Amino acid sequence: QVQLVESGGGLVQAGGSLRLSCAASGRIFSINAMGWYRQAPGKQRELVATITSSDSTNYAASVKGRFTISRDNAKNTVYLQMNSLKPEDTAVYYCNLRNYKSDYVYYDYWGQGTQVTVSS
């Protein structure tokens, strides 16, 4: 099993910055991806950014150029640096780890979520 512990959410004014962290522990496969998803009230959960174990990144169009995802493999930790925050970034942010058994077989694990609120 895998455990994910998130930290770093909070309240910030528009234009401000926050940094989220997510530490993973347990059985982590050598080929994996870690990432952040978010869910605003009344909306579906959506991808924010992901980073693979080979450091390939992917961003949602809405955050590209403002958010940066990175990881420290020695610490099994993924970070999300969020700059130029907007009120529409307000959501619960969830950390995800995807363990790849093969190209088409994988296992998803989720953190408990951390609230990010951006005031206008």
Side-chain angles (χ1 to χ4, degrees):
Q1 289 297 328
V2 172
Q3 295 78 42
L4 302 172
V5 178
E6 301 145 335
S7 60
L11 173 64
V12 65
Q13 288 189 331
S17 298
L18 281 175
R19 188 191 194 209
L20 305 183
S21 300
C22 173
S25 60
R27 190 181 179 201
I28 300 169
F29 292 6
S30 59
I31 300 175
N32 65 75
M34 297 187 76
W36 293 93
Y37 292 70
R38 67 186 181 187
Q39 187 167 18
K43 294 188 176 182
Q44 289 188 331
R45 190 174 297 188
E46 63 177 4
L47 179 146
V48 177
T50 60
I51 183 167
T52 69
S53 46
S54 56
D55 285 336
S56 176
T57 59
N58 181 46
Y59 293 92
S62 59
V63 307
K64 198 170 289 186
R66 300 188 297 123
F67 291 9
T68 302
I69 191 168
S70 61
R71 62 188 289 167
D72 183 335
N73 290 326
K75 297 180 179 179
N76 291 323
T77 299
V78 64
Y79 306 96
L80 185 69
Q81 178 66 43
M82 304 185 292
N83 298 330
S84 303
L85 282 160
K86 305 176 181 180
E88 50 264 43
D89 294 319
T90 296
V92 177
Y93 283 69
Y94 295 92
C95 178
N96 168 266
L97 182 140
R98 177 167 288 181
N99 272 336
Y100 282 93
K101 185 177 181 180
S102 69
D103 286 349
Y104 304 105
V105 179
Y106 53 82
Y107 309 97
D108 276 329
Y109 302 90
W110 296 93
Q112 78 282 2
T114 185
Q115 177 70 46
V116 171
T117 303
V118 184
S119 63
S120 57

